[in-house]
């Protein structure tokens, strides 16, 4: 019996109502996914809820998404929702471009694969789909204007589970996933830039900028001028500079001067005092760490090396770096790259390294306390700062500079410095160098009640006295003995027949004595050779 017109019309209406209901369900699913993603851009975290919402419409058992790693060309699984799975697919975290997902991303179009088509792939993950009982798989690329970010993958144990009219819903979900992933990446990048800017401001707070090249460096002695000439020579290069000198000689000021005169002067100047940071924390301070890298690492930390990108990193007291940390520093010098603690991602940096130490690194290398390969990498352009006792003619200039500085700060008026006081200050050996002089001048300004500077000379003398005639005689005798040996060896310092061997001391010790006693090559031979 053929249906009448009324029955046909009712059938058409039912089909239309069912189609409208399906469209309404799919539209509502898209709205729900939008709502979920707008409340949380962390797609891996929210993905199981997204999968559960789509399951109401498409009834898939498996859902996942993978992201493309540009450095390797591989697809890396970020999240998976497969409650009834055996774990075979979950074990495949890295996927090659020859997989179903890879083909979908390469062709930038959604694709539906049957079981037979899956078996045609030579990729393990495709075989895993079949082993898990999936009969149908649909892959949709996560497209953004700059290219696909990855692939959205759905699977079902039913044959022909996905149809062409399902692709509209799947593509819309994939587009929203791609947008959220891109937004999340942008938010993380902005947060990292804010963190870096905040740390740079804290590290650079109080940094003095000046138009003059050496406005902070006081003195015009030949010894100091020689150092400043070296600074001018090396500043505009990219060479690593090793600044040597006793404590308090102004190594940090020289490092600042090199940075200000370099091509990196607009970049950051980041300082790390390696002696002031415990050994266990120094690696994290230099290279940074990821959240959870160690106990107490509650968030990601950007290291000083990364902060110095595009600028200059100054490692003060570099001789205090442990042997365990030295190879990592050497790698930065060689390759300009490193990894944060708790991360396998390589961070590339473009920085210039300046280092300073008051230790004799040559002796440290000989005693296996410092790596020789790192020493030679650092020792590209050494600059030795003279001790204050080697530039006594600068002491009056420094005294006046510090007195004016502290007098202005304390609202004092110092009109004169007694001549006898200045003579005593000039004759003092200053074991603490410029820093010791600066501290003494601050105390002197505090103690000065009248207009003449009152220096607590008794305090200075209590810590030692300037060289006496007796000590001077001993130095003269030692100087003459070393000169005699140097003449006998023809100026050769090292080796079996060298002066150091005859004197029974190390070559470095002999060089230190010659420096202290002001023995130069012309004192023992015009033809001397080292």
């Amino acid at each position: 019996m053929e249906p009448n017109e009324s029955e046909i019309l009712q059938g058409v209406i039912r089909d239309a109502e069912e189609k409208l209901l399906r469209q309404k369900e799919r539209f509502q699913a898209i709205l729900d996914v939008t709502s979920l993603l707008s409340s949380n851009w962390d797609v891996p975290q929210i993905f199981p809820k997204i999968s559960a919402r789509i399951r109401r419409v498409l009834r898939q058992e498996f859902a996942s998404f993978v992201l493309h790693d540009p450095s390797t060309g591989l697809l890396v699984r970020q999240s998976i929702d497969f409650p009834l799975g055996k774990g075979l697919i979950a074990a495949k975290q890295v996927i090659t471009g020859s997989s179903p997902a890879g083909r979908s991303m390469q062709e930038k179009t959604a694709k539906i694969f049957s079981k037979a088509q899956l078996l045609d792939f030579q990729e393990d993950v495709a075989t895993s789909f079949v082993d898990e009982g999936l009969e149908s798989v649909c892959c949709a690329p996560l497209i953004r204007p700059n290219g696909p970010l990855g692939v959205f993958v759905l699977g079902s144990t039913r044959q022909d589970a996905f149809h062409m009219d399902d692709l509209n819903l799947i593509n819309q979900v994939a587009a929203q996933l791609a947008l959220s992933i891109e937004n999340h990446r942008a938010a993380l990048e902005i947060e990292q830039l804010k963190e870096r800017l905040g740390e740079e401001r804290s590290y650079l707070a109080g940094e003095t900028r000046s138009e003059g090249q050496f406005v902070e460096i006081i003195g015009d002695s030949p010894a100091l001028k020689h150092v400043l000439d070296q600074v001018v020579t090396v500043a505009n290069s990219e060479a690593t500079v090793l600044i040597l000198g006793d404590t308090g000689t102004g190594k940090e000021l020289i490092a600042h001067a090199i940075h200000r005169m370099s091509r990196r002067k607009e970049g950051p100047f980041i300082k790390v005092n390696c002696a002031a940071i415990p050994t266990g924390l120094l690696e994290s301070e230099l290279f940074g760490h990821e959240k959870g890298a160690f106990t107490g690492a509650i968030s990601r930390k950007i290291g000083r090396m990364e902060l110095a990108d595009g600028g200059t990193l100054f490692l003060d007291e570099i001789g205090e770096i442990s042997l365990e940390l030295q190879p990592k520093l050497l790698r930065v010098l060689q390759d300009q790259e490193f990894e944060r603690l708790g991360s396998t991602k390589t961070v590339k940096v473009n920085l210039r390294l300046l280092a300073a130490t008051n230790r004799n690194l040559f002796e440290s290398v000989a005693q296996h306390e410092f790596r020789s390969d790192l020493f030679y990498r650092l020792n590209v352009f050494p600059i030795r700062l003279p001790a204050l006792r080697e530039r006594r003619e600068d002491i009056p200039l420094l005294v006046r500079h510090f007195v004016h500085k502290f007098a202005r700060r304390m609202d004092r008026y110092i009109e004169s410095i007694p001549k006898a006081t200045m003579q005593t200050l000039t004759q003092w050996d200053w074991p603490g160098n410029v820093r010791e002089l600066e501290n003494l001048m601050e105390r002197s300004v505090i103690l000065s009640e009248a207009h003449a500077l009152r220096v607590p000379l008794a305090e200075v003398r209590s810590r030692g006295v300037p060289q006496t005639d007796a000590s001077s005689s001993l130095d003269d005798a030692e100087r003459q003995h070393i000169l005699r040996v140097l003449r006998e060896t023809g100026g050769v310092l090292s080796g079996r027949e060298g002066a150091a061997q005859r004197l029974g001391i190390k070559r470095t010790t002999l060089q230190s004595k010659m420096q202290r006693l002001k023995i130069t090559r012309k004192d023992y031979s015009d033809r001397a050779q080292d």
Side-chain angles (χ1 to χ4, degrees), residues 391-409:
R391 42 183 286 227
R392 294 183 186 275
E393 54 267 60
D394 290 338
I395 292 176
L397 296 174
L398 288 164
V399 168
R400 285 193 286 270
H401 169 75
F402 290 132
V403 168
H404 290 154
K405 170 185 173 180
F406 294 116
R408 285 194 300 270
R409 182 181 298 177

Side-chain angles (χ1 to χ4, degrees), residues 35 39 97 167 181 188 198 217 233 240 249 267 282 292 316 334 340 350 359 373 385 398 462 513 521:
S35 177
S39 64
L167 294 184
I181 291 167
L188 287 176
I217 301 172
T233 300
T240 300
T249 51
L282 184 57
D316 199 5
Q334 291 176 333
R340 297 192 195 102
N350 177 17
R359 293 179 57 178
D373 49 1
L385 300 193
L398 288 164
S462 68
K513 286 181 178 289
R521 185 181 296 270

Side-chain angles (χ1 to χ4, degrees), residues 117 147 241 325 347 452 492:
Q117 290 172 319
V241 180
L325 194 53
V347 179
V492 177

Side-chain angles (χ1 to χ4, degrees), residues 16-35:
E17 288 177 343
E18 290 176 0
K19 184 177 181 181
L20 184 62
L21 181 61
R22 286 197 303 272
Q23 290 177 344
K24 182 179 178 181
E25 289 177 344
R26 295 182 179 216
F27 182 69
Q28 185 60 49
I30 293 172
L31 289 179
D32 291 344
V33 170
T34 302
S35 177

Side-chain angles (χ1 to χ4, degrees), residues 267-467:
F269 178 86
I270 304 299
K271 173 193 171 185
V272 181
N273 189 321
C274 302
I277 302 173
T279 302
L281 299 178
L282 184 57
E283 183 175 359
S284 170
E285 196 67 26
L286 285 174
F287 302 105
H289 62 251
E290 297 290 340
K291 180 180 179 181
F294 52 85
T295 303
I298 59 175
S299 63
R300 170 186 285 181
K301 176 181 176 61
I302 303 298
R304 306 282 184 101
M305 294 234 176
E306 199 168 344
L307 288 173
D309 188 25
T312 303
L313 177 67
F314 174 49
L315 297 183
D316 199 5
E317 304 295 349
I318 196 169
E320 304 302 321
I321 290 183
S322 66
L323 281 170
E324 294 79 12
L325 194 53
Q326 290 176 25
K328 296 187 177 181
L329 178 58
L330 178 63
R331 182 189 175 195
V332 176
L333 286 173
Q334 291 176 333
D335 304 325
Q336 296 269 297
E337 63 182 25
F338 61 92
E339 289 86 32
R340 297 192 195 102
L341 285 175
S343 172
T344 57
K345 180 182 178 182
T346 299
V347 179
K348 290 277 188 180
V349 289
N350 177 17
L351 58 83
R352 182 185 190 179
L353 182 68
L354 307 179
T357 182
N358 58 9
R359 293 179 57 178
N360 188 328
L361 291 185
F362 193 84
E363 286 189 355
S364 297
V365 170
Q367 296 169 7
H368 305 290
E369 297 173 352
F370 202 87
R371 290 177 62 103
S372 60
D373 49 1
L374 177 57
F375 169 72
Y376 293 124
R377 277 283 180 177
L378 294 171
N379 201 40
V380 175
F381 194 97
I383 297 178
R384 181 189 170 276
L385 300 193
L388 190 53
R389 62 182 174 274
E390 298 175 74
R391 42 183 286 227
R392 294 183 186 275
E393 54 267 60
D394 290 338
I395 292 176
L397 296 174
L398 288 164
V399 168
R400 285 193 286 270
H401 169 75
F402 290 132
V403 168
H404 290 154
K405 170 185 173 180
F406 294 116
R408 285 194 300 270
R409 182 181 298 177
M410 302 176 195
D411 198 21
R412 299 285 182 89
Y413 179 68
I414 305 297
E415 188 177 49
S416 62
I417 301 174
K419 184 177 180 179
T421 298
M422 185 64 80
Q423 288 177 342
T424 302
L425 295 175
T426 305
Q427 293 170 3
W428 179 248
D429 275 344
W430 301 106
N433 294 291
V434 179
R435 186 181 294 119
E436 181 186 8
L437 175 60
E438 181 178 12
N439 293 339
L440 179 62
M441 290 303 100
E442 184 174 10
R443 288 198 298 278
S444 300
V445 172
I446 294 172
L447 294 172
S448 300
E449 297 177 353
H451 296 323
L453 183 70
R454 178 191 168 193
V455 180
L457 296 176
E459 176 184 334
V460 175
R461 295 189 181 104
S462 68
R463 289 179 283 144
V465 296
Q467 197 175 55

Side-chain angles (χ1 to χ4, degrees), residues 133-278:
L134 298 182
E135 299 280 344
S136 303
V137 170
C138 181
C139 299
L142 306 176
I143 302 292
R144 291 303 298 156
N146 292 332
L149 302 179
V151 184
F152 175 43
V153 184
L154 296 177
S156 175
T157 57
R158 295 171 290 115
Q159 292 184 5
D160 301 322
F162 306 106
H163 304 92
M164 295 304 295
D165 58 350
D166 295 326
L167 294 184
N168 182 47
L169 169 62
I170 294 171
N171 281 328
Q172 288 191 58
V173 173
Q176 293 193 51
L177 290 174
L179 179 61
S180 293
I181 291 167
E182 189 175 65
N183 288 341
H184 188 225
R185 287 178 174 177
L188 287 176
E189 185 176 353
I190 291 171
E191 191 62 32
Q192 290 172 6
L193 289 173
K194 285 182 178 179
E195 181 183 355
R196 175 171 176 170
L197 180 60
E199 294 202 35
E200 284 184 4
R201 284 176 174 172
S202 68
Y203 292 139
L204 298 174
E207 181 180 339
T208 302
R209 295 280 182 179
S210 58
E211 296 181 359
Q213 292 180 341
F214 305 113
V215 69
E216 296 175 341
I217 301 172
I218 309 300
D220 57 7
S221 64
L224 183 61
K225 286 182 178 179
H226 176 67
V227 168
L228 301 185
D229 287 342
Q230 289 181 296
V231 170
V232 172
T233 300
V234 77
N236 206 35
S237 72
E238 290 294 313
T240 300
V241 180
L242 180 61
I243 307 171
L244 307 169
D246 296 343
T247 181
T249 51
K251 296 186 286 293
E252 184 176 347
L253 292 180
I254 294 297
H256 272 279
I258 293 173
H259 174 72
R260 283 198 299 267
M261 297 173 63
S262 73
R263 287 173 287 186
R264 297 174 177 266
K265 60 185 176 182
E266 300 301 329
F269 178 86
I270 304 299
K271 173 193 171 185
V272 181
N273 189 321
C274 302
I277 302 173

